[in-house]
Amino acid sequence: MKRKYKTFLIYAYAFIFFYMVNSLITYFFMKKNLSPFLGTALEAFIMVLGLYYTFYVLIRKYYGIEDKRKITIAWLFHFVPFIVTSFFLFFVLIKAVPNPSFAVFVYLNGDILLLFFTYKFAIEKFIERESG
């Protein structure tokens, strides 16, 4: 298996893990009547930090690149388009699909697809050129 796909699968599982952790945080904040703003801020912090660290470790381990600046630039070129298109996809699906649970199901699957294409773009454009 190509290392690009192997690293993506690990990255996608990490994304799903952080998504589930964020769901537990949402549940906890709702159960304890805590501020939704603080919960959302905590969830965003966990997702961003977790995905960056996962990306950083995967690139160092599987591609052998130690330059933190290059890895950070590659991650930003992956993460920023992913977030923008993910929000766009979410709002389009919520408006277009009348069944909310089906809309969320399609959104989560579309999100993984978006994750793949933005990840692949960043790897091909910044990482594979460097490592050969």
Side-chain angles (χ1 to χ4, degrees):
M1 179 185 292
K2 286 186 171 182
R3 65 182 165 179
K4 177 180 11 182
Y5 301 121
K6 181 188 264 186
T7 57
F8 170 73
L9 289 175
I10 297 168
Y11 190 72
Y13 280 118
F15 172 76
I16 293 167
F17 172 76
F18 295 128
Y19 207 90
M20 291 187 323
V21 167
N22 286 344
S23 297
L24 291 173
I25 290 171
T26 301
Y27 172 77
F28 175 74
F29 271 68
M30 288 173 57
K31 188 85 168 161
K32 300 295 181 183
N33 288 329
L34 298 172
S35 169
F37 174 75
L38 290 177
T40 303
L42 180 62
E43 291 169 9
F45 179 75
I46 289 171
M47 184 65 82
V48 170
L49 192 63
L51 287 179
Y52 173 74
Y53 183 73
T54 304
F55 188 85
Y56 180 75
V57 168
L58 287 172
I59 298 306
R60 285 184 64 201
K61 180 176 181 179
Y62 288 97
Y63 287 91
I65 296 175
E66 297 291 329
D67 187 2
K68 191 172 188 172
R69 185 176 180 276
K70 275 198 187 316
I71 295 172
T72 303
I73 290 171
W75 182 78
L76 285 172
F77 269 85
H78 147 67
F79 191 71
V80 172
F82 168 70
I83 288 298
V84 171
T85 53
S86 181
F87 279 122
F88 179 72
L89 175 67
F90 180 75
F91 290 116
V92 166
L93 284 174
I94 291 299
K95 296 287 184 189
V97 179
N99 185 351
S101 61
F102 183 67
V104 169
F105 172 76
V106 171
Y107 164 72
L108 292 175
N109 286 296
D111 224 16
I112 296 293
L113 195 61
L114 285 173
L115 189 75
F116 172 71
F117 286 119
T118 57
Y119 182 85
K120 184 179 175 197
F121 168 75
I123 294 295
E124 290 174 353
K125 180 130 176 107
F126 295 99
I127 303 301
E128 287 182 344
R129 284 186 183 173
E130 173 76 18
S131 67

